[in-house]
């Protein structure tokens, strides 16, 4: 990057214009979140009238108390935690050993195994055969089905495999001399050296689990098992037509809009909490696995 | 290799071992070799096995199940025992206005996303590179990456709220200019701009990371000599930065073309409604409605197979082109 000590007048104008444009883009990225947050804390009447623009109007937390008093909110929140934690651990339990084995030069048929992983990134059977397969495996409507059914992704395996391949052989020699077997070499040498890559993969898993809704919506019929995103979709897409909910709106300090906004805020908070960690690792992750297979 | 306990002295032991090795490897058959190798390295295969089994059970079995695209599938008969009917489903698909419409919409939305969505992250990266104040740059980056990590349900929720006719901010602003409220999400002509705009808004920041990394790799000496020659920042951006990251731009373009059919249909499912099907329905949403909602598994699987094959051909072609053009390929 160029370090500028000398500016011409044109350069100054350019730099300032650039700052303004970046600023505008940044505000456009941030504004919707501020808008939703303000909406969630405004009175239902003001929200309905479209008076909320930047800050809360007619400040009230009624929408939150409505959301938090809903049992389904807590059930789906709990389920999302189960799917996120269970799913991430399950993914790592498959991906770490798999990627390690695929990175070993002495693995017989290594090209074939690698191709078998990579092929799933270029070609997939599509949603119908996948769904029918899950049904045949009796994994509909089950926690375990969601957790195991999406455990492995070719992208994550290849990302981690590339990282393992980049670790010089010399690191494991001492352990080999001491008679360490493959499990010990992986556990004591490779895993400690790969913490950033493993953290990257784990964070990818956490985000995709937390945000995943499509397959949960398809595979889970039992309301008691649905994750937050599916519940959220129900609230946002269908609540406006729900007569029972509409009947509670009369004389209430909340409205359909403020309740939707409040629930959106509640579901974003955990992502915001891990966002600093995400930021630390995703740059690395995208470059590790992004362009090169 | 098993080391045997032997007390007859170093050299004899060595000779015996060598002789054994020689005997064993004189004419080792392939099977013997593999067997030996497996005995020595079984741990490695134990580590690999779960992943391979998972792939077979969850991704390769559905590929076997794809045969229902050529069958009259019934749940009771199952995949293997349903009767073959050849290409009938494909005839039905290509004779169906709905499928043709979905195909056209897929291509149209992909092209729109490509034309408008592809340049934005590049421009963003170039602009970030010109920001000298590091605090400003860091803060701005942190914010523009954020939408990528937010779920499509929430993004759709924000869009629905913002574009709502009664309370939405967009209509509030239009009202200032005397425009009557528009119920955007029920208007077919508004679906594509809203959808494409939303995906650009969500992904452009994050996609700029790849280009920023490429820019970081440009040699500083190029800029230093340009400064000596009195080049302006504008000139350096177009004469040094852009040509230097051209290979990255081309690779990303090829990847993008390869993934053309992968329209983010989850977002479409959340945003579309019968009133906007005419512009919003893509192949994947068609499959979702016909198959998962309508239970026409075989017909939907045929549409899925068509989609997957076209996507596969696109990726392969993209890779070949990339190999020839930039000597950099995806694999």
């Amino acid at each position: 990057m160029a370090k500028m000590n000398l500016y011409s007048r044109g350069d100054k104008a350019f730099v300032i214009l650039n700052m303004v444009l970046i600023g505008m883009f940044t505000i456009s990225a941030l504004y919707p979140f501020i808008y939703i947050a303000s909406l969630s804390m405004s009175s239902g009447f003001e929200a309905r009238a479209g008076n909320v623009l930047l800050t809360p109007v007619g400040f009230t937390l009624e929408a939150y108390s409505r959301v938090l008093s809903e049992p389904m909110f807590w059930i789906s929140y709990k389920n999302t935690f189960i799917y996120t934690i269970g799913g991430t651990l399950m993914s790592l339990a498959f991906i770490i050993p798999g990627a390690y084995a695929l990175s070993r030069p002495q693995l017989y048929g290594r090209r074939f195994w690698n191709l078998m992983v990579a092929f799933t990134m270029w070609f997939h059977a599509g949603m119908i055969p996948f769904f029918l397969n899950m049904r045949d495996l009796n994994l509909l409507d089950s926690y375990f089905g969601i957790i195991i059914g999406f455990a492995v992704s070719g992208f994550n395996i290849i990302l981690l495999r590339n990282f393992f391949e980049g670790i010089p052989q010399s690191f494991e020699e001492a352990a080999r001399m001491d008679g360490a077997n493959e499990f010990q070499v992986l556990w004591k040498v490779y895993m400690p050296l790969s913490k950033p890559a493993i953290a990257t993969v784990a964070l990818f898993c956490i985000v995709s689990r937390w945000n995943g809704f499509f397959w949960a919506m398809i595979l889970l019929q039992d309301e008691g098992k649905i994750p937050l995103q599916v519940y959220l979709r129900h609230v946002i897409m269908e609540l406006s037509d729900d007569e029972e909910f509409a009947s509670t709106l009369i004389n209430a300090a909340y409205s359909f809009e403020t309740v939707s906004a409040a629930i959106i805020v509640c579901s974003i908070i955990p992502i915001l909490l891990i966002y600093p960690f995400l930021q630390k690792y995703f740059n690395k992750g995208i470059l590790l696995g992004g362009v090169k297979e | 290799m098993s080391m045997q306990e032997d007390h007859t002295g170093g050299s004899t032991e060595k000779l015996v071992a060598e002789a054994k090795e020689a005997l064993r490897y004189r004419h080792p058959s392939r099977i013997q070799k593999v067997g030996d190798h497996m005995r020595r390295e079984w741990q490695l295969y134990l580590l690999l096995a779960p992943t391979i089994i998972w792939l077979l059970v969850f991704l390769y079995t559905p590929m076997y199940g794809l045969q229902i695209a050529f069958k009259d599938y019934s749940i009771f008969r199952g995949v293997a025992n349903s009767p073959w009917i050849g290409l009938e489903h494909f005839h039905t698909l290509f004779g169906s206005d709905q499928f043709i419409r979905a195909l056209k919409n897929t291509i149209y939305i992909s092209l729109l996303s490509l034309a408008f969505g592809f340049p934005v992250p590049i421009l963003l990266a170039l602009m970030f590179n010109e920001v000298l104040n590091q605090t400003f740059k860091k803060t701005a980056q942190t914010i523009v990456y954020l939408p990528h990590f937010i779920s499509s349900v929430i993004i759709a929720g924000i869009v629905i709220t913002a574009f709502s006719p009664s309370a939405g901010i967009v209509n509030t602003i239009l009202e200032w200019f005397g425009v009557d409220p528009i119920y955007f999400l029920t208007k077919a002509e508004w679906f594509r701009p809203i959808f494409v705009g939303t995906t650009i808004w969500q992904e452009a920041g994050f996609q700029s990371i790849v280009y920023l990394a490429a820019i970081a790799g440009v040699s500083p000496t190029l800029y230093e000599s340009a400064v000596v020659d009195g080049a302006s920042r504008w000139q350096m951006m177009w004469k040094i930065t852009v040509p230097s990251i051209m290979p990255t731009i081309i690779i990303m373009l090829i990847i993008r073309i390869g993934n053309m059919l992968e329209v983010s249909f989850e977002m479409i499912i959340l945003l579309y409604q019968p009133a906007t099907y005419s512009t919003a329905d893509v192949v994947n949403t068609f499959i979702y409605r016909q198959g998962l909602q309508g239970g026409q598994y075989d017909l939907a699987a045929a549409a899925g197979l068509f989609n997957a094959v076209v996507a596969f051909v696109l990726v392969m072609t993209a890779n070949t082109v990339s190999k020839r053009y930039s000597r950099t390929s995806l694999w």
Side-chain angles (χ1 to χ4, degrees), chain B residues 13-54:
Chain B
E13 182 204 70
K14 216 171 163 190
L15 270 176
V16 170
E18 270 170 20
K20 274 187 177 170
E21 280 290 274
L23 273 175
R24 180 148 40 144
Y25 284 109
R26 201 164 46 182
H27 296 295
S29 75
R30 200 181 162 84
I31 295 171
Q32 257 178 327
K33 257 172 144 176
V34 174
D36 264 5
H37 169 80
M38 293 289 257
R39 224 166 297 134
R40 254 181 299 137
E41 303 281 359
W42 60 272
Q43 294 167 344
L44 219 48
Y45 296 92
L46 193 62
L47 290 167
L48 181 63
T51 299
I52 298 298
I53 292 170
W54 189 95

Side-chain angles (χ1 to χ4, degrees), chain A residues 196-237:
Chain A
I198 292 172
T200 305
V201 170
L203 286 167
F204 282 161
C205 293
I206 290 173
V207 172
S208 86
R209 290 288 183 169
W210 187 272
N211 288 340
F213 96 96
F214 180 74
W215 282 108
M217 174 178 87
I218 302 299
L219 299 174
L220 301 171
Q221 300 298 317
D222 181 353
E223 272 219 320
K225 289 175 183 157
I226 62 170
L228 183 61
Q229 301 297 335
V230 176
Y231 175 62
L232 200 61
R233 174 181 178 277
H234 166 76
V235 172
I236 294 168
M237 310 288 148

Side-chain angles (χ1 to χ4, degrees), chain A residues 18-49:
Chain A
N18 186 52
M19 290 265 269
V20 171
L21 286 174
I22 293 252
M24 277 164 58
F25 197 91
T26 309
I27 289 168
S28 85
L30 190 60
Y31 175 73
F33 297 108
I34 293 175
Y35 171 63
I36 291 294
S38 301
L39 205 54
S40 73
M41 291 181 274
S42 299
S43 81
F45 175 76
E46 301 288 352
R48 278 229 143 254

Side-chain angles (χ1 to χ4, degrees), chain B:
Chain B
M1 255 161 284
S2 62
M3 288 298 265
Q4 282 176 330
E5 289 290 321
D6 210 310
H7 301 286
T8 49
S11 63
T12 325
E13 182 204 70
K14 216 171 163 190
L15 270 176
V16 170
E18 270 170 20
K20 274 187 177 170
E21 280 290 274
L23 273 175
R24 180 148 40 144
Y25 284 109
R26 201 164 46 182
H27 296 295
S29 75
R30 200 181 162 84
I31 295 171
Q32 257 178 327
K33 257 172 144 176
V34 174
D36 264 5
H37 169 80
M38 293 289 257
R39 224 166 297 134
R40 254 181 299 137
E41 303 281 359
W42 60 272
Q43 294 167 344
L44 219 48
Y45 296 92
L46 193 62
L47 290 167
L48 181 63
T51 299
I52 298 298
I53 292 170
W54 189 95
L55 291 174
L56 287 173
V57 171
F58 289 100
L59 297 181
Y60 283 95
T61 311
M63 288 185 203
Y64 169 80
L66 257 179
Q67 58 180 277
I68 65 168
F70 306 99
K71 285 186 160 183
D72 183 14
Y73 175 72
S74 92
I75 296 176
F76 307 105
R77 289 213 188 95
V79 172
N81 294 325
S82 294
W84 294 94
I85 54 160
L87 294 174
E88 205 182 301
H89 293 308
F90 293 92
H91 283 296
T92 315
L93 282 177
F94 284 97
S96 128
D97 293 343
Q98 270 202 46
F99 181 72
I100 299 294
R101 184 182 74 186
L103 206 55
K104 281 185 183 159
N105 282 337
T106 308
I107 295 167
Y108 198 49
I109 290 177
S110 301
L111 288 176
L112 271 182
S113 313
L114 189 68
F116 292 97
F118 186 72
V120 178
I122 303 172
L123 292 176
L124 209 54
L126 289 173
M127 283 160 65
F128 273 131
N129 186 49
E130 299 298 327
V131 176
L132 299 173
N133 183 330
Q134 287 304 308
T135 319
F136 178 75
K137 185 175 166 183
K138 266 234 148 80
T139 316
Q141 282 177 321
T142 305
I143 292 168
V144 299
Y145 298 162
L146 181 63
H148 170 80
F149 295 97
I150 305 300
S151 81
S152 31
V153 180
I154 292 178
I155 302 289
I158 293 175
V159 170
I160 290 169
T161 314
F163 284 91
S164 120
S166 57
I169 175 94
V170 177
N171 274 312
T172 307
I173 292 170
L174 285 179
E175 221 183 307
W176 297 344
F177 298 99
V179 181
D180 284 335
I182 303 171
Y183 201 164
F184 285 99
L185 290 172
T186 61
K187 297 267 185 282
E189 68 269 26
W190 280 106
F191 185 85
R192 287 177 190 145
I194 290 174
F195 173 75
V196 172
T198 305
T199 47
I200 293 175
W201 173 79
Q202 188 180 5
E203 297 297 339
F206 192 71
Q207 286 166 352
S208 72
I209 293 176
V210 175
Y211 300 108
L212 277 168
I215 291 173
V218 180
S219 162
T221 53
L222 289 176
Y223 295 105
E224 281 155 21
S225 48
V227 171
V228 173
D229 291 347
S232 72
R233 295 186 65 85
W234 178 255
Q235 285 170 320
M236 286 191 281
M237 181 162 120
W238 289 104
K239 299 265 164 70
I240 299 175
T241 314
V242 173
S244 304
I245 64 168
M246 213 28 125
T248 309
I249 294 179
I250 290 167
I251 289 181
M252 295 311 286
L253 182 64
I254 290 165
I255 294 179
R256 188 80 184 239
I257 292 169
N259 291 335
M260 277 251 295
L261 291 184
E262 296 283 317
V263 188
S264 40
F265 77 101
E266 291 194 1
M267 184 70 90
I268 296 185
I269 286 177
L270 293 164
L271 288 179
Y272 79 165
Q273 41 182 292
T276 52
Y277 282 176
S278 61
T279 55
D281 196 20
V282 293
V283 174
N284 274 327
T285 50
F286 173 85
I287 296 169
Y288 162 71
R289 275 204 324 282
Q290 299 297 321
L292 297 178
Q293 291 189 316
Q296 279 187 287
Y297 297 120
D298 40 11
L299 184 74
L305 179 60
F306 175 78
N307 213 28
V309 169
V310 175
F312 187 72
V313 170
L314 275 176
V315 176
M316 287 298 155
T317 314
N319 190 55
T320 313
V321 172
S322 157
K323 238 180 205 161
R324 190 167 307 164
Y325 190 87
S326 59
R327 270 172 287 133
T328 328
S329 60
L330 308 179
W331 56 82

Side-chain angles (χ1 to χ4, degrees), chain A residues 12-293:
Chain A
K12 256 185 196 159
F14 174 62
V15 167
I16 290 168
L17 179 69
N18 186 52
M19 290 265 269
V20 171
L21 286 174
I22 293 252
M24 277 164 58
F25 197 91
T26 309
I27 289 168
S28 85
L30 190 60
Y31 175 73
F33 297 108
I34 293 175
Y35 171 63
I36 291 294
S38 301
L39 205 54
S40 73
M41 291 181 274
S42 299
S43 81
F45 175 76
E46 301 288 352
R48 278 229 143 254
N51 291 338
V52 180
L53 291 174
L54 190 63
T55 51
V57 183
F59 180 85
T60 168
L61 292 176
E62 281 298 308
Y64 285 94
S65 67
R66 178 72 172 86
V67 167
L68 300 181
S69 68
E70 192 70 52
M72 265 315 291
F73 173 78
W74 294 106
I75 291 170
S76 64
Y77 221 96
K78 176 202 78 184
N79 287 338
T80 287
F81 268 97
I82 293 174
Y83 293 130
T84 303
I85 294 167
T88 303
L89 292 177
M90 184 69 88
S91 293
L92 293 177
F94 277 94
I95 289 170
I96 294 172
Y100 173 76
L102 289 171
S103 77
R104 308 306 290 174
Q106 73 267 37
L107 184 78
Y108 199 84
R110 187 165 166 231
R111 267 183 71 87
F112 174 78
W113 302 122
N114 274 306
L115 189 69
M116 197 173 159
V117 173
F119 184 71
T120 62
M121 289 167 52
W122 316 321
F123 185 87
H124 31 89
M127 61 182 112
I128 302 298
F130 184 84
F131 170 78
L132 295 177
N133 185 47
M134 290 296 274
R135 201 188 55 192
D136 292 345
L137 292 168
N138 241 327
L139 289 176
L140 296 191
D141 235 346
S142 90
Y143 284 105
F144 183 66
I146 298 282
I147 288 173
I148 187 99
F150 305 89
V152 178
S153 98
F155 178 83
N156 284 335
I157 290 192
I158 286 166
L159 189 155
L160 204 55
R161 185 206 65 195
N162 286 351
F163 194 89
F164 285 149
E165 279 173 351
I167 294 175
Q169 291 270 327
S170 54
F171 278 102
E172 60 176 274
E173 270 161 18
R176 294 271 180 211
M177 299 278 222
D178 294 343
N181 60 29
E182 295 294 342
F183 304 110
Q184 290 163 328
V185 170
L186 170 59
W187 184 258
K188 294 200 173 128
V189 181
Y190 277 77
M191 281 179 61
L193 287 170
S194 315
K195 270 184 201 150
I198 292 172
T200 305
V201 170
L203 286 167
F204 282 161
C205 293
I206 290 173
V207 172
S208 86
R209 290 288 183 169
W210 187 272
N211 288 340
F213 96 96
F214 180 74
W215 282 108
M217 174 178 87
I218 302 299
L219 299 174
L220 301 171
Q221 300 298 317
D222 181 353
E223 272 219 320
K225 289 175 183 157
I226 62 170
L228 183 61
Q229 301 297 335
V230 176
Y231 175 62
L232 200 61
R233 174 181 178 277
H234 166 76
V235 172
I236 294 168
M237 310 288 148
E238 285 151 27
L239 207 58
S240 55
D241 303 326
D242 188 331
E243 284 177 15
E244 205 183 318
F245 179 80
S247 68
T248 70
L249 283 176
I250 302 160
N251 295 327
Y254 53 82
S255 73
F256 163 68
E257 288 82 6
T258 64
V259 169
S260 292
I263 198 169
I264 287 175
V265 171
C266 291
S267 75
I268 287 184
I269 285 171
I271 289 285
L272 291 184
L273 290 179
I274 64 161
Y275 191 54
F277 300 99
L278 278 172
Q279 261 228 313
K280 196 170 150 199
Y281 289 112
F282 62 53
N283 273 310
K284 238 175 253 162
I286 233 183
L287 299 174
L288 275 176
V291 175
K292 209 172 158 278
E293 178 266 323

